Amino acid sequence: MELLFRVSLCLLTFIGKTFGDEIGIVKISCKEDEDVMLSCSFEENLRMTRFDWKKDGKDVLLCEYGEISPSKQDGQFRERVSHFTNQLKSGNASIIIKKAKVSDSGNYTCLHIDSKKSWKIVLTVGTCPTPSISILNEVNGGTLVECEAHGAYPKPTMEVQNSGNMTVAEAANITRNGNYFDAILQVVVTKKDHYHCVVKQEDICHQIYSKPTFVHVTPGTCPTPSISILNEVNGGTLVECEAHGAYPKPTMEVQNSGNMTVAEAANITRNGNYFDAILQVVVTKKDHYHCVVKQEDICHQIYSKPTFVHVTPGNTTEENTTEERSGSSKGFIHGGGVGVGVVIVIAIAALL
């Protein structure tokens, strides 16, 4: 209270010297449920004149020749506003609002009715809720944490910071809740550390911190994939790539010797905290093939050793069949020729 009083007097003195008879503007901020003083003073003896306080058109306090009229006060301020009766003679028209509420925020005018001199005070009554941080669950690549704060005013911003006070996320979801604001911020952290939330307001509390919370992150793993030849199938050779115990969730590809992808639709399954990947593909050209496991955040790309895959040409069976058919025909013709020759020899022998 003493601090607010001193600040108000300093602002009033400074603005009074600067503006003289012109309108002065004072900005005051306080926390909800605190008493706040709105400063105003004139050179006249206020027991002999009149002054009037208004807030955005509402009657706050009317003092006429040293007397106030409670019946002329708006219900929002009745029995909550007082003035300095013993200082009216010296021109002090300041008032005190008891247990200020967010709804008391706004533009106030202190008018000396007779001289038309006036002061303007912009009052901001704020709240400073302490944010909380909680661990939701493990997700692909890290751990999902959530910060939240409810009932803030004015509209705040929110951040998640690590143990070094470095910001790791700040795009909070801010929603209106009556006169107040709620803030929620979710982020996936990928490194184990102590994290905390920070609610920021320029005019009131500036920065409010949650208690730090240690967040465990399952360490990334980089299993080396393997490639194996299963069997020949119609038109090519079936090969299989596999990798077990990967984290975060990977993708998998089969590539040829030119590093061209020939297959990538792997079957990825959860195995506890980790992932297994299997990919089968029929290759139709003989070449050296290898598997590639990809992870964005950890190992990026892990390669298997290349394996040479032999592929029997797809038309081999058809060619052999044709050749066998041709061979049968030739044999029949040759056999027929030998038979005719034997008949001729026998006929000649009979004539002799």
Side-chain angles (χ1 to χ4, degrees):
M1 179 66 184
E2 184 180 355
L3 177 60
L4 282 172
F5 183 78
R6 290 178 179 176
V7 170
S8 299
L9 283 181
C10 289
L11 286 171
L12 182 60
T13 302
F14 176 77
I15 294 173
K17 288 182 178 180
T18 302
F19 292 98
D21 293 337
E22 297 177 0
I23 295 175
I25 299 177
V26 178
K27 291 185 178 182
I28 298 177
S29 300
C30 72
K31 295 180 183 178
E32 193 169 54
D33 291 326
E34 289 182 344
D35 294 347
V36 59
M37 185 179 73
L38 307 186
S39 297
C40 177
S41 66
F42 301 102
E43 296 177 356
E44 291 81 1
N45 179 355
L46 298 180
R47 287 189 178 276
M48 307 298 294
T49 56
R50 300 169 297 168
F51 65 92
D52 186 21
W53 277 91
K54 290 185 183 293
K55 172 195 176 280
D56 300 324
K58 293 182 179 181
D59 293 315
V60 179
L61 182 139
L62 172 63
C63 183
E64 298 178 297
Y65 310 109
E67 301 293 331
I68 63 170
S69 303
S71 61
K72 295 183 180 180
Q73 284 182 294
D74 188 271
Q76 178 180 346
F77 300 102
R78 196 170 298 151
E79 297 182 356
R80 295 182 56 230
V81 177
S82 61
H83 67 296
F84 296 87
T85 306
N86 59 346
Q87 296 183 29
L88 291 177
K89 188 175 181 180
S90 61
N92 188 357
S94 304
I95 60 173
I96 294 176
I97 301 177
K98 299 176 181 177
K99 292 188 176 182
K101 303 296 181 184
V102 168
S103 56
D104 294 329
S105 300
N107 299 310
Y108 289 77
T109 302
C110 174
L111 172 66
H112 187 269
I113 297 174
D114 300 317
S115 68
K116 304 303 180 183
K117 295 178 181 178
S118 65
W119 298 94
K120 286 188 177 180
I121 293 89
V122 179
L123 174 62
T124 301
V125 181
T127 58
C128 307
T130 301
S132 62
I133 184 170
S134 56
I135 300 170
L136 298 186
N137 53 267
E138 287 191 348
V139 296
N140 184 32
T143 300
L144 179 64
V145 299
E146 180 179 78
C147 287
E148 58 181 336
H150 300 277
Y153 188 86
K155 186 177 181 179
T157 60
M158 177 179 275
E159 296 180 6
V160 177
Q161 296 181 351
N162 60 20
S163 59
N165 294 326
M166 299 295 292
T167 300
V168 297
E170 56 185 348
N173 180 29
I174 311 293
T175 57
R176 189 95 193 193
N177 184 3
N179 289 328
Y180 305 91
F181 293 91
D182 297 334
I184 296 178
L185 175 57
Q186 292 185 349
V187 60
V188 175
V189 296
T190 56
K191 296 180 179 179
K192 62 181 181 180
D193 199 354
H194 284 87
Y195 293 89
H196 58 269
C197 308
V198 186
V199 170
K200 294 185 176 182
Q201 293 170 318
E202 291 185 6
D203 299 323
I204 310 295
C205 307
H206 305 297
Q207 295 188 355
I208 314 106
Y209 294 83
S210 71
K211 292 181 178 179
T213 295
F214 181 75
V215 180
H216 175 75
V217 177
T218 301
T221 58
C222 309
T224 300
S226 62
I227 184 170
S228 55
I229 300 170
L230 298 186
N231 53 268
E232 290 190 350
V233 296
N234 184 32
T237 300
L238 179 63
V239 298
E240 180 180 78
C241 286
E242 59 181 334
H244 299 277
Y247 189 85
K249 186 178 181 180
T251 60
M252 177 179 275
E253 296 179 6
V254 177
Q255 296 180 353
N256 60 21
S257 60
N259 294 325
M260 299 295 292
T261 300
V262 297
E264 56 185 349
N267 180 30
I268 310 294
T269 57
R270 188 95 194 195
N271 184 2
N273 290 328
Y274 303 95
F275 294 90
D276 297 334
I278 296 178
L279 175 57
Q280 292 184 350
V281 61
V282 175
V283 296
T284 57
K285 294 181 179 180
K286 62 182 181 180
D287 198 353
H288 284 88
Y289 293 89
H290 58 269
C291 307
V292 186
V293 170
K294 294 185 177 182
Q295 293 169 316
E296 290 185 6
D297 300 319
I298 310 295
C299 306
H300 305 297
Q301 294 188 358
I302 314 104
Y303 294 82
S304 71
K305 292 181 179 180
T307 295
F308 180 76
V309 179
H310 176 76
V311 177
T312 302
N315 60 354
T316 300
T317 303
E318 185 178 349
E319 289 177 355
N320 290 342
T321 302
T322 303
E323 185 175 350
E324 288 174 0
R325 290 176 181 172
S326 300
S328 298
S329 300
K330 291 176 182 177
F332 176 76
I333 294 172
H334 294 163
V338 172
V340 172
V342 172
V343 172
I344 293 173
V345 169
I346 293 173
I348 293 173
L351 292 174
L352 295 175

